[in-house]
Amino acid sequence: MTGREGQVHEVRSASEMDEVLRCPVLEKRGHGNSPHAEEFVLAGTLIYIWGDEHRRRRRMYAPLVSAVALRDIEAWLGPMLQRRLDALPASADGRVRADVLTLARDVSLAIAARIIGLDDMESLERLERLGELGDRLVASLKAHLEFEKAPGMQGASPEALADAKARFIAIRIAEAKTAKQCFIDEFYRPARARREALVERQRAGEIEQAQLPKDLITLLVTHDAQLRTEPSWDEDLPVRECTMTLAASDHTTSMAACHVVADLFHWTAAHPEDRGRLTDLAFLRRACNESLRLHQVTDPATNWRHAREDVTLKNGRRVEAGDRVALWYGVGGMDADYYGADVASFNPWRAESGNLRRPYGFAFSGGSKVCLGLALVVGSGGEEDARADDFRGDLPLMMQAFFAAGMRPDPERPAVPRSHVHASPADAREILMWKTFPVIFDGLGK
Ligand code: HEM
């Protein structure tokens, strides 16, 4: 440490952001954006730790997104998507109407449950129950952001507002703590007990290693002794690893699905020559990456990196030990020098320039703290040069299933945006979210 007051460096260019994310002496320490609920949902989990402890935990997690695991997920995903679509009820006029947000949420929850290792998740009721508990956990993480002046608070004193905000947050946290206990009783405990019994049988030589489930709870059981030696260990940590994974994977994919659908509806209206490509996975992978680049689906708040040592970046910027670097993931993907002059519009045929290989911009962060779900969401291998054994990505696969079922906009019920937040304090560009996204499936029903 230098002893001087640490400076803040704002990074906006794609190449510098990429370099900062990869730089080993610029560390992400904790999450920092959810000050109230961290201790019972996120504390000590993969997303919250750094350095050697993070490297060890990341290695523990690696089998969840290995090529073998992703191939298993792909083999399961296709039939599961088809079952979900076939189960959609037809309206009185015989048409099948649905909401992309709800449909994609159910699919994302089913994927999250499979990765975590929750049992008996075939029924929609169990999925919805998991979603309800997940919503309450996430609401506590966002409580400090979502508090708006309650009715009757206009003109209230700063003290009264602070008091109302504290009460609002306290209620969200109490609800989330109840939800966490329900998650433990209804989902985690039975799943863990089954896996502990299986691991015991495997250790006794009664079953093969390959017969163990490939999920997070199994990894938490098999790595129990190692986890107990970690600085972040307490008896509740394994539960929090599950609540963290649920929170990280749930609404991100479903919101991204709405953005891709919206972008593709607009694109094909203006480019009818691409309509025939709506079931072509290479095209859909391009579209998903481009849509993720344009629309941030994660928390738009500042992401910080802390300098452990002095470092000089390629452009000459000197960052000294104790300084912090401020990043906005939604901004790095809007660098016209890298993505071209039409950077603010959706173009699935956008050419890659330079060598960053980030067609999705900074949607998944980067470096050692890159999103664990990256390959799961967008696929492994390149958009065009994917090999037969590459995973094609749950988002493109979901889009392929939806478009193959004849998805089109519902002319009577336009999609409704939910809210707009700014990409960064200095960036007037708005980030769009969706409240509802009604569609019709012409290929389903009578
Ligand atoms: C469209 C979908 C998704 C997007 C855009 C996304 C984006 C991100 C971003 C930006 C981060 C870094 C957060 C930060 O720096 O504070 C992150 C971390 C993470 N994501 Fe995702 N995510 C998605 C889906 C998923 C899924 C499906 C999973 C499930 C496995 C997942 C698991 C994680 C985990 C475990 C981390 C923490 C990684 C670490 O710190 O080592 N994400 N994600």
Side-chain angles (χ1 to χ4, degrees):
M1 294 287 290
T2 59
R4 72 195 236 291
E5 179 92 352
Q7 279 182 19
V8 169
H9 303 262
E10 289 194 6
V11 164
R12 314 187 76 82
S13 86
S15 54
E16 196 180 17
M17 199 173 285
D18 188 68
E19 190 185 353
V20 166
L21 289 171
R22 288 172 192 279
C23 179
V25 305
L26 297 175
E27 292 177 333
K28 179 182 168 190
R29 297 184 188 159
H31 192 267
N33 293 336
S34 310
H36 304 286
E38 62 195 37
E39 79 276 10
F40 67 99
V41 185
L42 301 174
T45 65
L46 181 70
I47 202 161
Y48 229 86
I49 52 181
W50 67 93
D52 288 342
E53 189 177 15
H54 177 259
R55 269 187 288 282
R56 287 192 293 275
R57 193 80 51 87
R58 189 84 193 199
R59 263 201 304 278
M60 182 197 95
Y61 264 85
L64 297 180
V65 287
S66 67
V68 178
L70 292 178
R71 266 200 301 279
D72 280 0
I73 289 180
E74 185 162 338
W76 159 85
L77 186 61
M80 190 271 282
L81 279 166
Q82 202 50 54
R83 276 198 305 281
R84 290 271 165 245
L85 287 166
D86 290 341
L88 291 173
S91 314
D93 62 2
R95 292 212 182 288
V96 171
R97 293 181 169 79
D99 194 306
V100 180
L101 196 57
T102 317
L103 192 56
R105 170 98 198 285
D106 289 344
V107 173
S108 314
L109 278 170
I111 297 171
R114 187 184 160 99
I115 289 178
I116 295 170
L118 307 177
D119 294 325
D120 306 320
M121 298 306 297
E122 277 304 301
S123 83
L124 206 50
E125 288 71 30
R126 282 271 286 176
L127 272 187
E128 282 171 357
R129 175 69 176 149
L130 181 64
E132 195 183 306
L133 300 177
D135 280 347
R136 279 195 260 152
L137 290 171
V138 171
S140 73
L141 297 175
K142 293 190 178 160
H144 64 297
L145 297 173
E146 288 186 353
F147 172 77
E148 283 162 18
K149 287 178 188 170
M153 294 302 292
Q154 285 79 6
S157 68
E159 295 75 31
L161 269 178
D163 203 41
K165 183 169 183 173
R167 275 201 311 274
F168 177 84
I169 291 172
I171 291 169
R172 290 290 171 284
I173 289 181
E175 287 170 352
K177 286 188 171 165
T178 309
K180 180 176 167 186
Q181 193 54 51
C182 294
F183 172 78
I184 294 173
D185 296 341
E186 297 168 34
F187 293 93
Y188 175 78
R189 198 173 285 130
R192 172 119 191 171
R194 190 167 88 78
R195 279 152 186 79
E196 280 175 350
L198 283 170
V199 170
E200 215 167 288
R201 290 183 58 202
Q202 183 261 325
R203 285 180 178 156
E206 291 167 31
I207 59 170
E208 298 294 321
Q209 170 97 27
Q211 288 171 275
L212 291 179
K214 298 179 194 62
D215 54 45
L216 175 59
I217 298 181
T218 304
L219 292 175
L220 290 165
V221 173
T222 54
H223 290 73
D224 191 63
Q226 178 211 314
L227 281 171
R228 284 172 185 274
T229 66
E230 295 291 2
S232 63
W233 171 260
D234 63 66
E235 291 294 332
D236 186 56
L237 178 65
V239 177
R240 292 196 304 274
E241 286 293 352
C242 297
T243 53
M244 181 280 290
T245 305
L246 181 61
S249 56
D250 183 2
H251 285 283
T252 44
T253 311
S254 46
M255 192 54 71
C258 291
H259 288 312
V260 187
V261 171
D263 287 337
L264 281 172
F265 281 166
H266 284 120
W267 178 263
T268 48
H271 299 87
E273 69 281 7
D274 279 340
R275 277 188 198 147
R277 296 197 166 94
L278 287 174
T279 51
D280 168 1
L281 268 175
F283 176 76
L284 289 172
R285 287 187 67 170
R286 283 178 153 276
C288 290
N289 286 339
E290 173 71 348
S291 192
L292 281 158
R293 180 188 68 77
L294 269 181
H295 310 288
Q296 186 171 5
V297 295
T298 50
D299 189 341
T302 320
N303 276 275
W304 296 101
R305 292 297 180 270
H306 301 251
R308 181 160 43 88
E309 294 166 18
D310 294 354
V311 61
T312 304
L313 301 177
K314 282 185 195 140
N315 59 6
R317 189 200 290 264
R318 177 120 180 103
V319 181
E320 296 189 14
D323 287 357
R324 289 184 303 154
V325 182
L327 310 168
W328 294 275
Y329 295 149
V331 171
M334 300 297 286
D335 181 345
D337 287 347
Y338 181 71
Y339 292 100
D342 65 341
V343 68
S345 50
F346 175 83
N347 177 4
W349 299 114
R350 181 174 305 285
E352 269 236 44
S353 64
N355 57 3
L356 292 188
R357 295 185 66 87
R358 286 183 170 278
Y360 34 73
F362 293 82
F364 297 95
S365 173
S368 62
K369 297 287 285 181
V370 69
C371 171
L372 184 85
L374 169 61
L376 169 72
V377 176
V378 297
S380 53
E383 292 165 342
E384 304 293 343
D385 55 359
R387 294 189 317 261
D389 60 348
D390 278 329
F391 178 64
R392 276 92 53 83
D394 64 14
L395 196 55
L397 287 166
M398 205 189 301
M399 290 301 118
Q400 188 187 42
F402 291 0
F403 281 110
M407 177 173 60
R408 66 174 169 89
D410 183 339
E412 286 156 29
R413 296 186 303 154
V416 181
R418 188 180 63 186
S419 64
H420 295 81
V421 279
H422 290 289
S424 84
D427 187 343
R429 192 172 50 88
E430 290 179 324
I431 296 176
L432 175 71
M433 297 288 181
W434 296 100
K435 191 171 180 183
T436 60
F437 209 106
V439 291
I440 293 179
F441 287 101
D442 280 336
L444 305 173
K446 67 172 193 219

